[in-house]
Amino acid sequence: MNTSDQSSAPESYRSGPDEGGHFGIFGGRFVAETLMPLILEVEEAYNRYKDDPEFRSELNYFSNDYVGRPSPLYLAQRLTDELGGAKIYFKRDELNHTGAHKINNTLGQILLARRMGKKRIIAETGAGQHGVATATVCALFNLPCVVYMGAKDIERQAPNVFRMKLLGAEIVPVTSGTATLKDAMNDALRDWVTNVDDTFYIIGTAAGPHPYPKMVRDFQSIIGIEARAQLLEKENRLPDTIVACIGGGSNAIGLFHPFLDDPGVNIIGVEAAGHGVESGQHAASLNGGKPGVLHGNRTFLLQDGDGQIIDAHSISAGLDYPGIGPEHSWLHDIGRVEYVSVTDDEALEGFQLCCRTEGIIPALEPAHALAHVTKIAPGMHKEQIIIMNLCGRGDKDVFTVAKALGVEI
Amino acid sequence: MIGENRIEKKFEQLEERNKAGLVTFLTAGDPDPNTAQEILNGLPAAGADIIELGMPFSDPMADGPAIQLANLRSLANGMTLQKTLDQVATFRTLDNETPIVLMGYYNPIHYYGTQRFIDAAIEAGVDGLIIVDLPPEEDEELCHPSMTAGLNWIRLATPTANDERLAKILKNSSGFVYYVSITGITGTHSAQHSDTNEAVARIRKQTDLPIAVGFGIKTVDHVASTAAVADAAVVGSALINTIEEGLTAQLPKSEIVKNLHTFVAELAKGTARDR
């Protein structure tokens, strides 16, 4: 952790954002005027309900009985032995209903949408995990669901497309721009600006205009709150290091946020380096991008010398986004969190190692986090502890992995 | 002549002539930089009173298919923010009266550097800015420094704004107010005439600035009905469709330029109030 620059270190790392949704210079509300009243309405509703006992109790009920929380904190003993260093715990959010952390957020947002009297839900999705999690809660609460998905992603994520359809969602193929996640988000915003009266937009990551980065973080923070309590229970101490992968950064901020004010805890976010940050084909916004404004917030973005957004690349469709949540940009800027990157090839190795040693097929997203764990754990003492967020399971990725390994199935 | 004067003077002239203004929107550099410069240079003679130039962006979130494609065409042909400013400067050597308003998204300006951009825009002869993703909540970013430097800050007023919100929108507005007559993206459906009347009246209660109405205005009849209630009508996607049709039909570029100017002249007929 780099807190050498104490002059700019805040009293607490957990007090953001400010009223305008800023984390330092990042965040904000950079949206078209037509959307402003809607954003303000979401903010007001969120502020009204977030601590409301009835809202909390409903959220807890569905989190426990429907999603299956709390997710276990599991000591990955064989992996620990294999790497021969720090003790490695997995926070097993891949065991949630729908197989990833995404549902923590969609559940929270749909409960809010219902209280706001909204009759229609829209969402964007890249890999399809957020789309599936949104379609799931829409089925649960009987609300029509429209999911925007890049035409390219529809092609590479066929199983999730079918899942969403089974759950009753309408999938709109996005062919504008580069037909990927960023364009799906553009088209979802275009839908919202058109259907202002009845529609709630469930954004899938801790990005977008205020209050989304804060709201998504709060709903995902259950991950870190549980992990902290579980480790205290098991080991009677805090971890030395916590690690999570980052696309938009919702699973990571969910794990990180409850630990930000624990100075002894090293926090590491792992971006997708694709073919390598130097190759230009990557999704590492912090390590290979510059601050800019897109999708409602100021944050680090992949962009060219004219401020045009560049396509991200990663083997993991869930990390394939040219931006990152604004709170991560701030945590990077002030040095509280270390952000590293891991290539496609390294993630594939992490993926296989996890299958082999733990009998767990991880999603390609947390396989990036795991790849970084394999780099740092051997150099740590045996009594030190790492918590890694195993934020999704890999069933959806077996075709991609097979292809990458040259196996025909 | 500084920016404030060109816009103010234009609306004074229009009032003297008892006509509404025709505001044309085109994406800078569409379909390619050279053709776009020719189109731009000929707009005043064709009948455009105020020129809006879209600064191309890879992710135009508030725009419909026509303008999205125009942005991509323009970028694919090498357009940049600097070249957009250069085209304005070239235009200004020919015309020092027609106001030019740059419209677009914040990121290319953010990257260019806000103060550097403001200085360059004034130097090039730009009169005002419309930045879609900078609502009043983010006025410190570009609105305040632009207005301080003498650039007009033109805001979009929308059907979703109640009177309180409208006051906030109008607070740091200058030049004119651009009323977006529908909820939605550019170039899609058109507003009900009665809704527009009511909205324009509501805005007039709160400001003395001229009011331009846009989104969904596609024909000379739309222009005429808008001219009856507002100070100017904005046409964008319909013009850009002319370019796209020309490209699809593989017309020579000179023909595309001519067709576009002919269409502008046709639309301009709708601006006379005494016809």
Side-chain angles (χ1 to χ4, degrees):
Chain A
M1 188 179 110
N2 169 25
T3 50
S4 55
D5 186 11
Q6 289 296 335
S7 59
S8 64
E11 252 174 60
S12 166
Y13 293 97
R14 303 182 64 210
S15 57
D18 69 12
E19 250 181 52
H22 301 103
F23 302 91
I25 64 160
F26 301 100
R29 284 179 283 216
F30 297 89
V31 297
E33 178 56 37
T34 310
L35 285 181
M36 269 316 297
L38 280 81
I39 304 273
L40 294 171
E41 189 193 352
V42 172
E43 183 187 356
E44 190 191 277
Y46 181 60
N47 286 338
R48 185 180 333 142
Y49 292 115
K50 69 182 165 63
D51 301 317
D52 175 64
E54 258 180 55
F55 181 82
R56 300 302 319 175
S57 117
E58 197 180 4
L59 182 59
N60 284 342
Y61 166 74
F62 285 104
S63 290
N64 296 346
D65 289 12
Y66 186 71
V67 175
R69 301 212 73 89
S71 68
L73 184 72
Y74 161 74
L75 174 60
Q77 188 62 57
R78 281 206 60 217
L79 181 67
T80 300
D81 294 345
E82 172 102 7
L83 296 175
K87 245 186 192 180
I88 300 159
Y89 279 90
F90 288 162
K91 178 60 176 166
R92 298 201 56 189
D93 256 49
E94 104 279 13
L95 292 176
N96 292 339
H97 177 46
T98 73
H101 69 289
K102 291 290 184 186
I103 198 163
N104 299 330
N105 168 48
T106 59
L107 181 61
Q109 288 199 46
I110 205 163
L111 293 177
L112 184 66
R114 271 159 55 87
R115 275 167 174 70
M116 292 171 71
K118 299 296 180 185
K119 302 285 181 231
R120 175 176 176 268
I121 301 293
I122 58 171
E124 86 293 340
T125 199
Q129 290 305 95
H130 173 59
V132 168
T134 306
T136 298
V137 295
C138 285
L140 178 64
F141 292 107
N142 192 26
L143 285 170
C145 177
V146 177
V147 177
Y148 287 88
M149 188 167 184
K152 277 188 201 162
D153 290 331
I154 288 181
E155 227 169 87
R156 39 183 191 177
Q157 302 291 335
N160 271 344
V161 173
F162 186 58
R163 271 183 201 115
M164 287 185 271
K165 286 183 180 162
L166 285 173
L167 293 161
E170 179 195 341
I171 317 298
V172 182
V174 174
T175 53
S176 63
T178 53
T180 58
L181 176 56
K182 78 176 174 69
D183 306 287
M185 198 154 179
N186 290 338
D187 269 15
L189 285 164
R190 289 176 185 127
D191 178 310
W192 206 21
V193 94
T194 308
N195 301 290
V196 293
D197 292 327
D198 63 345
T199 298
F200 189 98
Y201 180 13
I202 298 188
I203 294 181
T205 193
H210 180 63
Y212 282 95
K214 169 190 159 85
M215 181 164 70
V216 175
R217 174 199 75 196
D218 291 351
F219 289 136
Q220 292 294 2
S221 288
I222 186 73
I223 299 170
I225 292 168
E226 285 175 6
R228 202 169 185 281
Q230 287 165 322
L231 193 73
L232 285 171
E233 166 92 25
K234 286 176 196 293
E235 301 270 0
N236 198 27
R237 53 166 295 204
L238 291 174
D240 298 278
T241 298
I242 60 178
V243 183
C245 64
I246 305 214
S250 70
N251 93 82
I253 202 70
L255 175 68
F256 296 171
H257 196 256
F259 290 99
L260 287 176
D261 284 337
D262 297 314
V265 179
N266 256 317
I267 307 183
I268 303 174
V270 184
E271 294 192 299
H275 298 313
V277 173
E278 67 294 334
S279 73
Q281 290 181 297
H282 61 84
S285 316
L286 292 176
N287 286 295
K290 291 203 166 108
V293 171
L294 181 73
H295 294 151
N297 58 171
R298 178 176 6 239
T299 192
F300 277 80
L301 299 173
L302 302 182
Q303 49 188 324
D304 69 14
D306 189 41
Q308 309 297 337
I309 307 306
I310 299 174
D311 253 350
H313 165 81
S314 168
I315 191 170
S316 146
L319 303 181
D320 199 349
Y321 178 65
I324 184 169
E327 193 163 9
H328 287 294
S329 288
W330 175 68
L331 291 167
H332 167 70
D333 211 37
I334 59 170
R336 173 62 185 97
V337 176
E338 180 192 355
Y339 292 89
V340 299
S341 64
V342 152
T343 63
D344 286 354
D345 290 346
E346 291 170 326
L348 276 169
E349 276 175 37
F351 179 96
Q352 295 171 81
L353 179 67
C354 190
C355 294
R356 220 169 44 234
T357 57
E358 292 296 342
I360 297 171
I361 301 177
L364 277 170
E365 291 81 14
H368 284 72
L370 201 130
H372 189 69
V373 167
T374 66
K375 293 181 190 174
I376 58 171
M380 292 169 70
H381 295 297
K382 284 188 192 299
E383 59 281 6
Q384 289 187 295
I385 294 172
I386 297 174
I387 296 179
M388 188 205 91
N389 198 10
L390 188 49
C391 63
R393 67 170 184 235
D395 309 44
K396 69 181 175 66
D397 292 320
V398 291
F399 296 100
T400 308
V401 173
K403 199 176 160 198
L405 299 178
V407 178
E408 236 178 89
I409 49 175
Chain B
M1 192 185 279
I2 65 159
E4 246 173 301
N5 292 345
R6 279 195 209 104
I7 292 177
E8 215 172 290
K9 204 167 166 190
K10 177 59 75 177
F11 278 106
E12 280 167 15
Q13 285 170 357
L14 289 167
E15 196 165 300
E16 282 163 19
R17 290 157 59 196
N18 192 28
K19 75 187 273 289
L22 176 66
V23 183
T24 57
F25 173 91
L26 288 163
T27 300
D30 180 36
D32 62 74
N34 289 339
T35 310
Q37 183 82 58
E38 269 185 64
I39 291 174
L40 174 62
N41 295 350
L43 284 173
D49 296 300
I50 295 176
I51 294 169
E52 273 180 22
L53 263 191
M55 297 172 277
F57 184 45
S58 52
D59 294 79
M61 281 152 285
D63 285 300
I67 297 181
Q68 288 173 34
L69 286 174
N71 276 276
L72 293 180
R73 276 197 298 268
S74 166
L75 291 172
N77 284 314
M79 203 62 188
T80 60
L81 183 53
Q82 184 58 55
K83 288 183 186 168
T84 301
L85 293 168
D86 294 345
Q87 295 218 332
V88 175
T90 303
F91 174 86
R92 275 280 169 259
T93 62
L94 308 167
D95 180 319
N96 198 25
E97 281 173 17
T98 308
I100 291 195
V101 173
L102 294 184
M103 183 165 183
Y105 298 82
Y106 186 33
N107 197 56
I109 297 172
H110 189 272
Y111 195 93
Y112 192 93
T114 48
Q115 194 57 49
R116 181 178 165 230
F117 170 77
I118 291 166
D119 296 343
I122 290 173
E123 174 75 25
V126 171
D127 301 288
L129 302 175
I130 305 175
I131 309 301
V132 177
D133 51 356
L134 284 177
E137 279 71 9
E138 304 293 347
D139 270 355
E140 282 170 32
E141 296 284 334
L142 187 62
C143 168
H144 292 163
S146 295
M147 288 179 87
T148 304
L151 279 175
N152 284 289
W153 189 261
I154 296 146
R155 263 199 228 284
L156 305 178
T158 63
T160 56
N162 59 21
D163 284 345
E164 192 189 340
R165 182 75 198 166
L166 198 53
K168 196 160 188 174
I169 293 167
L170 294 171
K171 193 180 161 208
N172 284 315
S173 284
S174 64
F176 59 93
V177 179
Y178 184 150
Y179 178 64
V180 173
S181 59
I182 56 161
T183 56
I185 51 179
T186 52
T188 50
H189 57 289
S190 305
Q192 292 294 325
H193 186 56
S194 55
D195 293 349
T196 305
N197 283 357
E198 205 177 302
V200 169
R202 196 156 67 87
I203 298 169
R204 285 225 197 276
K205 273 188 205 163
Q206 290 205 30
T207 185
D208 293 330
L209 289 172
I211 300 168
V213 174
F215 280 45
I217 298 180
K218 298 168 186 170
T219 64
V220 64
D221 289 340
H222 288 154
V223 173
S225 61
T226 305
V229 292
D231 302 297
V234 188
V235 183
S237 299
L239 293 177
I240 286 169
N241 284 336
T242 313
I243 297 178
E244 202 182 332
E245 282 159 18
L247 291 171
T248 308
Q250 296 184 315
L251 298 182
K253 295 289 164 63
S254 58
E255 201 72 10
I256 294 176
V257 175
K258 202 179 106 203
N259 288 351
L260 191 126
H261 289 152
T262 306
F263 186 37
V264 170
E266 168 71 13
L267 292 168
K269 289 180 192 158
T271 58
R273 292 219 176 83
D274 51 1
R275 64 179 194 144

